[in-house]
Structure formats: C-alpha cells, structure tokens
Amino acid sequence: MNCLTFLITNLSITQVAISILAFILAYHWYKRPKNFPPGPRGLPFLGVVPWIGKYPERVFAQWSKAYGPIMSVRMGTKDWIVLNDYDSIHEALVKGKEVFSGRPRIQVFEQFHQNHGIVFLDNGPRWKSQRKFGLTTLRGFGVGKRSMEERVQEEAEYLCKSMQEQEGKPFDILDQLTNAVSNNICSVICGKRFGYDDKLFTEVISRLTTNFTNPKTMFMLRIFMFVPFLMKVPPFKRINTTFLGHILFVIDFLKQVVSEHKLTFDKENPRDFIDAFIQEMEAGKDHHFTETQLLQFVRGLFVAGTETATSTLRWSILSMIHYPNTQIKLHEEIVKVVGSEAVVAIQHKEDMPYTSAFIEEIYRFRTLAPLSVPHKTNQDVKINGHFIPRNTQVSPNLWAVHNDPNYFKNPELFQPERHLDDKGMFVKSGRVIPFSVGPRHCLGEQLARMEVFIFLVSLVQKFEFKANPMDDKLPDIVVGSSGQLFVPLPFKVVAKER
C-alpha cells in the first residue's frame, strides 16, 4: 500500500513538473514586448514555417488583412517584422533609414560571405566606407554614363548574333542572356568580356544560374533561413553542400581574376573596379580594404548584377509569349522611334511610352525579390504606434506593394496600359519599387535599368519571340523558382528573325 501511495505521489509530482515546464515554455514562446506588432506565432521551434508554402510573401500579404500592414511572424525561433504596404516601407526604410539600415546574420548566406562584401554587410563603419567606395568607383568606370551605354550596346550586338545562330529553332535563352548581362558587369569589375563559348566562364554562369533556377534548391534555401540547423541534417545537408559548392566555384574564379590583376597592376592607371580596390588596399589608409572584402564585394556585384537583369528579361520574353499583343505594340513603337536597323540608345526611352510602361509592368507583375533583402533594426524604435526592439529582422514585402488592389486594379493581370495616362504618355509609379528604397536600395539599379531597356528593345527590334512549337503548353508565367529571388523556370523559345 505504501509503494502504491509513493508511486501516485511521485507521478503527481512529475505531472505537475511537466505542466509547469510546459507553461513556462508556452509563456516564453508567446510572450511579446509591449506594443509589439501583432501576428501569428505558430508552433514551438518552427513558428509559422509549416504554413507559408512556396510564396510566403503572398501568405504574409493575406495575413496582413487581419493583423495590419506592420505585423510580426515567428519564423523558426525568431520574430520577423513584415512590412506589407508602401507607406510602412517608406516610413521605415526612407524616413527611418538610420534605424532600419542594419542587416541580420543569416547562417545560410554567412557561411560563404563571412560577414564581408556589400549586400549582407551589417550597418556600420565598414558598410558606409564600402558603399561610398562602390558608388564612386562604379560611376568612375562608366555606370550611368555614355561609356557604359556603349558597352551595353556592343554586348546587345553579340547577343543578337548568338541568337541568329539558333536559326529559328527552339532554344533556352538563359545561357545567352546570363552571359550577355554578366559581361556588362565584368567590363566594370575586371575590364573585360568573355566569349559565349569560353568554357570556364560558361561553367561559372551555369553554376550561378543553377542556384537560382532550381526550385528545390531555392525552396530549401528559404527554409534554411528560417530553420538553420537543418543545413547540417541529412538529406537537407546535401542540398546546402551543393549550393555552397556552386558559390565557392564562382569565388575561385574571381580569385583567379584578382590574382591576374595583381600581376599587372599599375597604381597610376587603375583599369577597373578591382584595380581601384587594390589601389585602396595598397594605400593602407582604411583597414576595411582587404582581399577577403574585395572578393566578397566583387562576388556580390557579379551575382546581383547578373541575376536581376537576366531574370527581368526572361520574364519579359515570357510575357510577350503569353500576351502576344504586347509584342506587336512594342515592335511598332520601336520601328517608329528607333527604326529597324539603328543602334538602340537610352535617349530613345523618352519617346517610347509603351515600352517604358511594359518594363514598369514587368517590374510590378513579376516582383524579382518579393521580400527584398532582410533589414535589421539598429536600435529600439517605435513605428506607427508599434514598438520594435533592437536587432529585430525586418522584411519589406515588395510583392504586397506591387499587388495592392488599392493602387493597381486587378493586380494579377499583366497590363502595361495601367502605366499610361489618357494621352498615352508614360507615368512612372512611385509604388513600383523592384530595387527597394532607402540607403540600402540596389547598388546596381542604374545599370540594371539600362541593360533591361537596351537589351529588350534590341531583341524585339531584331526578333519575334514565339512559343516552342514542340510543346503543347505555354511555359509557366505564374509558377517560378522562388526563394530569395523569384525567377522563371527553364523554358524554350523560338526567336524568328524579322
């Protein structure tokens, strides 16, 4: 009888202890700072990750209808703040730029950038020094100037010639576009272009595009952002190892380029971005200029400068295939303003309202970086009555801005005309912000916009794009490879010479 009493008593103590522990865990899981933005908490250790699917930006936009434009979501074990409308994004990133300009530490990216570079570098003296150097040096080597325009025009000729060699047969335009766009940034970074048949550069391009166009890889990279311990757990570890291998291959290629520059470096005559950086390294006035920083800075420029314009052009071609009337209007305007043989120049854009509207709609319709690059608060802050503690991750939901029905009627439809006034003139929308806003907006925005215009107009001037006749269905324009970026799935197209 005493034994039975002992068991019951101890069982009760165990149950009470478990209950208290469960209560403490639940209290800490659901606890929030006073006036913290409202939002779902989800499950312990996972948060809302099981519910966000392939397109979390769309889920967040839907949830914001219940929680408001500034909401919190528990991603894994950390709280994120998601900004779901233009006003809140502008309030934080523009008006509150000094507070919201930090970058959080994200393990899946930190494993290769090692807290260097420019894109993921946290706010502070190093970032300010590198950002200033980057802006000044890119301008110095032609970005935003006539000399850069001439390089893009020259590359557009190489691109068109490569497409002529396809002889009207179905092909995947990804490699040619990626090589062409990469050559523009390479001309600034390392002072040279690479032929479309250069084996090493072709391999670099292949490694680069694979990381973005493989849906499984992109999906898992997002999961690793939220639940980083999965990076080391089979079978997910293999995906991370492959992803990292591609990145390291690109970095090794850039190491070779930097080594070649050092052998021929002339401090009196810097030829390109790498030379200008080496010049700063040798001057020794700023300890932030190191070889690791150079490699990561150049890698960031190379990857971001390639993928943004390439994917925008691929979405453009897909849109012309799905909406053939837009291609007819584009070509008519191009022939009228530029002609069928003349070299396309950026100055033509002023007289091409429909083309400008088409490009603006591409940026809106297929938002390339739906949740932008994550920000972090540098100090405690209040925004619209909400309290956000220091070191909280903040994600601007650019997709939600671009699909806000209050400003874009039927946002799910591709309609370039929504950017034209009643006289047919182009009206730039301040609410189309594909490169984000504030001091951390994309460093290469000017170059990307120039490339998209000159390449698109040059291609439509010379070719009519048609769907692959060997495929019964049109390539998908709704589903894409979605992760940090939203890019088209691989597809084949016919480029018929005009």
Coordinates of all heavy atoms in Angstrom, one line a residue, residues 29 31-33 36 40-41 72-75 77-81 392-393:
W29 N 7.3 31.3 -25.4 CA 7.0 31.3 -26.8 C 6.1 32.3 -27.3 O 6.3 33.0 -28.3 CB 6.5 29.9 -27.2 CG 6.3 29.7 -28.6 CD1 5.1 29.8 -29.3 CD2 7.3 29.6 -29.6 NE1 5.3 29.6 -30.7 CE2 6.6 29.5 -30.9 CE3 8.7 29.4 -29.6 CZ2 7.3 29.3 -32.1 CZ3 9.3 29.3 -30.8 CH2 8.7 29.2 -32.0
K31 N 5.2 35.1 -25.5 CA 5.5 36.4 -24.9 C 6.0 37.4 -25.9 O 6.8 37.0 -26.8 CB 6.6 36.2 -23.8 CG 6.9 37.6 -23.1 CD 8.0 37.3 -22.1 CE 8.4 38.6 -21.4 NZ 9.6 38.4 -20.5
R32 N 5.5 38.6 -25.9 CA 6.0 39.7 -26.8 C 6.2 40.9 -26.0 O 5.6 41.2 -25.0 CB 4.9 40.0 -27.9 CG 4.1 38.9 -28.3 CD 3.1 39.4 -29.4 NE 2.1 38.4 -29.7 CZ 1.6 38.2 -30.9 NH1 1.8 39.1 -31.8 NH2 0.7 37.3 -31.1
P33 N 7.1 41.8 -26.5 CA 7.2 43.1 -25.9 C 5.9 43.9 -26.0 O 5.1 43.7 -26.8 CB 8.3 43.8 -26.7 CG 9.0 42.7 -27.4 CD 8.0 41.6 -27.7
F36 N 4.2 45.4 -29.3 CA 4.9 44.7 -30.4 C 3.8 44.5 -31.5 O 2.7 44.2 -31.2 CB 5.5 43.4 -29.9 CG 6.5 42.8 -30.9 CD1 7.7 43.4 -31.1 CD2 6.2 41.5 -31.5 CE1 8.6 42.8 -32.0 CE2 7.1 40.9 -32.3 CZ 8.3 41.6 -32.6
P40 N 0.9 36.0 -36.1 CA 0.8 34.6 -35.7 C 2.1 34.1 -35.1 O 3.2 34.6 -35.5 CB 0.5 33.9 -37.0 CG 1.1 34.7 -38.1 CD 0.9 36.1 -37.6
R41 N 2.1 33.1 -34.2 CA 3.2 32.6 -33.6 C 3.5 31.2 -34.1 O 4.7 30.7 -34.1 CB 3.1 32.5 -32.0 CG 3.3 33.9 -31.4 CD 4.8 34.3 -31.5 NE 5.0 35.6 -31.0 CZ 4.9 36.7 -31.8 NH1 4.6 36.6 -33.1 NH2 5.2 37.9 -31.3
S72 N 4.0 41.0 -37.1 CA 5.1 40.1 -36.7 C 4.8 38.7 -37.0 O 3.6 38.3 -37.0 CB 5.4 40.2 -35.2 OG 4.3 39.8 -34.4
V73 N 5.8 37.9 -37.4 CA 5.6 36.5 -37.7 C 6.8 35.7 -37.0 O 7.9 36.2 -37.1 CB 5.5 36.1 -39.2 CG1 4.2 36.6 -39.8 CG2 6.7 36.7 -39.9
R74 N 6.5 34.6 -36.4 CA 7.6 33.8 -35.8 C 8.1 32.9 -36.8 O 7.4 31.9 -37.2 CB 7.0 33.1 -34.6 CG 8.0 32.2 -33.8 CD 9.1 33.0 -33.1 NE 8.7 34.0 -32.2 CZ 8.3 33.7 -30.9 NH1 8.4 32.5 -30.4 NH2 8.0 34.7 -30.1
M75 N 9.3 33.1 -37.3 CA 10.0 32.3 -38.3 C 11.0 31.4 -37.6 O 12.0 31.9 -37.2 CB 10.6 33.1 -39.4 CG 9.7 34.1 -40.0 SD 8.2 33.4 -40.8 CE 9.1 32.6 -42.2
T77 N 12.6 30.2 -34.6 CA 12.5 30.6 -33.2 C 12.6 32.1 -33.1 O 12.7 32.7 -32.0 CB 13.7 30.0 -32.4 OG1 14.9 30.3 -33.0 CG2 13.5 28.5 -32.4
K78 N 12.7 32.9 -34.3 CA 12.9 34.3 -34.2 C 11.7 35.1 -34.8 O 11.0 34.6 -35.7 CB 14.1 34.7 -35.0 CG 15.4 34.2 -34.4 CD 16.6 34.7 -35.1 CE 17.9 34.2 -34.5 NZ 19.1 34.6 -35.2
D79 N 11.4 36.3 -34.2 CA 10.4 37.1 -34.7 C 10.9 38.0 -35.9 O 11.9 38.6 -35.8 CB 9.9 38.0 -33.6 CG 9.0 37.3 -32.6 OD1 8.1 36.6 -33.0 OD2 9.2 37.5 -31.4
W80 N 10.1 38.0 -36.9 CA 10.3 38.9 -38.0 C 9.2 39.9 -38.0 O 8.1 39.6 -37.7 CB 10.3 38.2 -39.4 CG 11.4 37.3 -39.7 CD1 12.3 36.7 -38.8 CD2 11.8 36.9 -41.0 NE1 13.2 36.0 -39.5 CE2 13.0 36.0 -40.9 CE3 11.3 37.1 -42.3 CZ2 13.6 35.5 -42.0 CZ3 11.9 36.5 -43.4 CH2 13.1 35.7 -43.2
I81 N 9.6 41.1 -38.5 CA 8.6 42.1 -38.7 C 8.4 42.2 -40.2 O 9.4 42.3 -41.0 CB 9.0 43.5 -38.2 CG1 9.2 43.4 -36.7 CG2 7.9 44.6 -38.5 CD1 8.0 43.0 -35.9
T392 N 16.0 43.4 -34.4 CA 14.8 42.6 -34.9 C 14.9 42.6 -36.4 O 15.2 43.6 -37.1 CB 13.5 43.2 -34.5 OG1 13.4 43.2 -33.1 CG2 12.3 42.4 -35.0
Q393 N 14.7 41.4 -37.0 CA 14.7 41.3 -38.5 C 13.5 41.9 -39.1 O 12.4 41.7 -38.6 CB 14.9 39.9 -39.0 CG 15.0 39.7 -40.5 CD 15.6 38.4 -40.9 OE1 16.6 38.0 -40.3 NE2 15.0 37.8 -41.9

